[in-house]
Amino acid sequence: MANLSQPEATNLAAGQNPPPEQQLQDHLEDHAFSFSPNITLKKLPHLSDYLQDLQPAGPNPLDHNPFFHPSDGFYVNKSDIVLRQVACRLSPSGTIASPSHHLAYIRAGPRKQIFFDHCATRAAIVTCGGLCPGMNTVIRELVVGLWDLYGVRQIYGIKAGYRGFYSIHPIELNPKMVHNWHRRGGTVLETSRGGFDLTKIVDAIENHGFNQVYIIGGDGTMRGAVKIFEEVRRRKLKVGVTGIPKTVDNDVGIIDRSFGFQTAVEMAEQAIHAAHVEAESAVNGIGLVKLMGRSTGHIALHATLSSRDVDCCLIPETEFYLEGKGGLLEFLEQRLKERGHAVVVVAEGAGQDLIPRTTAQKEERDESGNMVFLDVGAWLKTELKKWWDREHPHELFTVKYIDPTYMIRAVPANATDNLYCTLVAHSAIHGLMAGYTGFVTGPINANHAYIPLADVAQAKNEVNIKDHKWEWVRSITNQPDFVKSKQNSV
């Protein structure tokens, strides 16, 4: 986080709030704050950008909350930013050589002035897409935060994902109802894929009188949230829209990580341990574990690093092949000769180009429009058995295949993710209350920031196979560099 504060002169008496006109002028000046030439601050949408007559609702009620004692530095001001990159390289002269230019985001947190009166605020919370540890915690913390921090009493849950806006009556939520939700896996509000009808959704938001919308979901959900924000802005509605990214795969870009990821890695490590026990207890045993990761291998990578029992980690970001010199089968044969067992971890998106598909399978899509992946774990198990029967027809061999996908998705969040869920939920509330809209909140270099929804919806967080973490994986597993091996064999 960077703080570029400068003295703010005022002639107000102690404890006196400026008139609404001055408050709005202060906000507009905040938007126009001048930064160092080598820092670009990402502009964040605000309701005042398209509602010209918008006035602040007054001072932040946290001033009078018995559990908070706001002091200097408690409220975030115009000069508090979070830098996208904090690691720098110095030139021989001692100046910063790279990066020469810094991208910055507005720091998340409570503001002195808010733009929603608690009596008139009607908040809607929706969960979309697949399950992820921590979804219920985020819902709980949104409800409790709105209720206890800002005095909001009209809080509603939208059931069954995006389609619930226009097909199911919203349910009222309160702290007593959601008290123990953080101990439960899944989402009590229920979820679904698809059902995105922009006109119907925004019509429902307008008809129900919602003026704050909290959307919890993955990258596809965030793309939908961008469209909702844009339509709300086009209609000039006083409705704040924020996205809270949810993905077990940790494939949402810009932010450090998404909630549920650490719980997923913890559960994945347990599956790897079970596969290792099975493989070690058999003659020529292979434990095969398929983990989540359609386009990124973060869970497989981190679980491999945590476990230290994995012999080969296969992820979507790098190719592998079975047959020939330097291939997976040659590597596993050597491993079985040396140790008598092996453990292979494969992300669901790895090796999809190797699996034979029918014409119909090539065209198949799920309700979110994603290509339907074939089961790489089941395919790999079959190929391993074919290989052994062909090369060693009279020797014992077994493959124990474990797919913990739905076990991982369905568990409650662990302690670390529960804390993360609280921080991200409260940051989202503070942002909407301050009048910001069309944003996502999440940690950047461990500091929570507000990021434009459109930026997050387009960004990807793929494993960098040139990074030290992937090299660390290969040093632990001793697996070959399949790309180099394939090039050398050509």
Side-chain angles (χ1 to χ4, degrees):
M1 181 189 70
N3 190 302
L4 306 180
S5 61
Q6 61 184 29
E8 297 183 16
T10 178
N11 58 4
L12 295 172
Q16 182 180 348
N17 292 313
E21 295 77 7
Q22 182 60 47
Q23 294 172 17
L24 182 58
Q25 182 60 35
D26 290 344
H27 164 74
L28 295 174
E29 288 176 359
D30 287 354
H31 260 29
F33 189 79
S34 163
F35 291 96
S36 169
N38 65 337
I39 295 178
T40 299
L41 178 65
K42 292 291 292 187
K43 178 172 170 56
L44 197 66
H46 194 275
L47 292 173
S48 60
D49 295 341
Y50 63 89
L51 297 175
Q52 304 304 321
D53 297 328
L54 181 69
Q55 298 294 336
N60 198 311
L62 293 178
D63 284 339
H64 311 291
N65 191 303
F67 301 107
F68 291 86
H69 304 283
S71 57
D72 290 343
F74 177 83
Y75 289 116
V76 179
N77 62 41
K78 60 187 177 183
S79 60
D80 291 321
I81 62 173
V82 178
L83 296 178
R84 175 75 180 271
Q85 187 172 343
V86 294
C88 302
R89 177 171 293 177
L90 295 178
S91 67
S93 63
T95 59
I96 295 177
S98 65
S100 59
H101 197 86
H102 290 276
L103 189 62
Y105 297 93
I106 293 175
R107 183 188 167 199
R111 268 58 180 176
K112 287 183 180 179
Q113 300 295 324
I114 62 173
F115 284 77
F116 287 92
D117 180 84
H118 70 278
C119 293
T121 300
R122 288 174 61 87
I125 303 168
V126 63
T127 54
C128 306
L131 298 184
C132 176
M135 294 176 79
N136 281 326
T137 305
V138 173
I139 299 168
R140 180 194 188 277
E141 295 307 301
L142 286 173
V143 173
V144 174
L146 284 164
W147 192 285
D148 290 346
L149 301 182
Y150 288 95
V152 176
R153 296 294 182 264
Q154 300 179 83
I155 310 169
Y156 298 87
I158 307 300
K159 302 198 73 173
Y162 275 136
R163 58 172 43 85
F165 274 106
Y166 56 83
S167 63
I168 304 174
H169 195 73
I171 60 171
E172 290 192 50
L173 302 174
N174 59 65
K176 185 177 181 180
M177 178 188 294
V178 303
H179 179 67
N180 288 315
W181 283 17
H182 64 296
R183 303 188 188 281
R184 302 170 61 176
T187 166
V188 178
L189 291 181
E190 301 174 357
T191 185
S192 68
R193 297 187 185 276
F196 187 84
D197 187 314
L198 181 60
T199 301
K200 287 183 178 180
I201 290 171
V202 179
D203 284 348
I205 290 171
E206 192 170 2
N207 293 336
H208 286 298
F210 297 138
N211 49 21
Q212 290 190 1
V213 180
Y214 298 85
I215 302 172
I216 305 166
D219 53 352
T221 301
M222 293 301 106
R223 290 191 290 272
V226 171
K227 294 179 181 179
I228 292 172
F229 157 67
E230 291 173 345
E231 178 62 15
V232 163
R233 182 173 58 182
R234 188 189 69 79
R235 297 188 189 188
K236 296 188 183 301
L237 304 176
K238 186 187 176 183
V239 177
V241 178
T242 183
I244 299 178
K246 166 237 37 126
T247 166
V248 176
D249 301 350
N250 199 38
D251 59 354
V252 173
I254 302 177
I255 62 175
D256 295 346
R257 64 182 175 89
S258 50
F259 73 82
F261 175 66
Q262 292 199 343
T263 305
V265 172
E266 187 177 298
M267 295 298 296
E269 187 184 357
Q270 294 179 25
I272 292 171
H273 175 69
H276 181 248
V277 170
E278 289 283 356
E280 199 174 32
S281 302
V283 177
N284 293 320
I286 291 182
L288 176 60
V289 181
K290 185 185 78 172
L291 296 175
M292 286 163 291
R294 287 182 57 87
S295 58
T296 63
H298 290 287
I299 294 179
L301 182 151
H302 284 82
T304 296
L305 292 177
S306 300
S307 167
R308 309 300 177 92
D309 288 330
V310 179
D311 295 286
C312 190
C313 177
L314 306 172
I315 61 174
E317 289 85 351
T318 182
E319 296 178 357
F320 72 93
Y321 60 99
L322 299 182
E323 307 280 355
K325 186 173 178 57
L328 177 62
L329 300 182
E330 181 186 71
F331 171 72
L332 290 177
E333 174 137 25
Q334 185 64 32
R335 217 36 158 202
L336 291 175
K337 285 181 180 178
E338 294 171 353
R339 299 185 181 181
H341 68 277
V343 175
V344 177
V345 169
V346 57
E348 62 179 316
Q352 288 294 319
D353 57 325
L354 301 178
I355 309 174
R357 288 174 177 266
T358 65
T359 303
Q361 288 173 330
K362 291 177 182 178
E363 302 298 325
E364 192 176 3
R365 296 291 184 273
D366 64 19
E367 289 184 324
S368 297
N370 302 312
M371 182 178 75
V372 174
F373 280 0
L374 300 181
D375 190 336
V376 66
W379 169 78
L380 195 52
K381 177 183 178 180
T382 300
E383 293 300 312
L384 289 173
K385 286 187 171 182
K386 286 181 183 177
W387 159 66
W388 194 264
D389 289 343
R390 183 176 68 245
E391 300 295 327
H392 308 277
H394 304 298
E395 295 183 39
L396 291 174
F397 178 72
T398 184
V399 179
K400 298 299 184 185
Y401 174 42
I402 297 175
D403 179 359
T405 299
Y406 293 102
M407 291 175 60
I408 292 174
R409 291 173 12 137
V411 299
N414 65 11
T416 303
D417 272 326
N418 264 333
L419 176 59
Y420 177 99
C421 290
T422 299
L423 293 174
V424 76
H426 285 194
S427 294
I429 294 169
H430 293 317
L432 286 191
M433 282 293 178
Y436 292 114
T437 183
F439 68 90
V440 160
T441 181
I444 299 177
N445 300 313
N447 291 286
H448 282 252
Y450 295 139
I451 310 153
L453 255 172
D455 290 8
V456 173
Q458 296 170 3
K460 281 289 183 184
N461 179 32
E462 296 181 342
V463 172
N464 181 3
I465 59 174
K466 296 181 180 180
D467 181 71
H468 66 278
K469 276 188 181 177
W470 181 243
E471 300 302 326
W472 186 13
V473 167
R474 292 190 56 238
S475 72
I476 289 173
T477 62
N478 289 312
Q479 69 190 65
D481 184 335
F482 293 109
V483 175
K484 278 189 177 179
S485 298
K486 190 174 183 179
Q487 290 172 347
N488 293 335
S489 64
V490 175

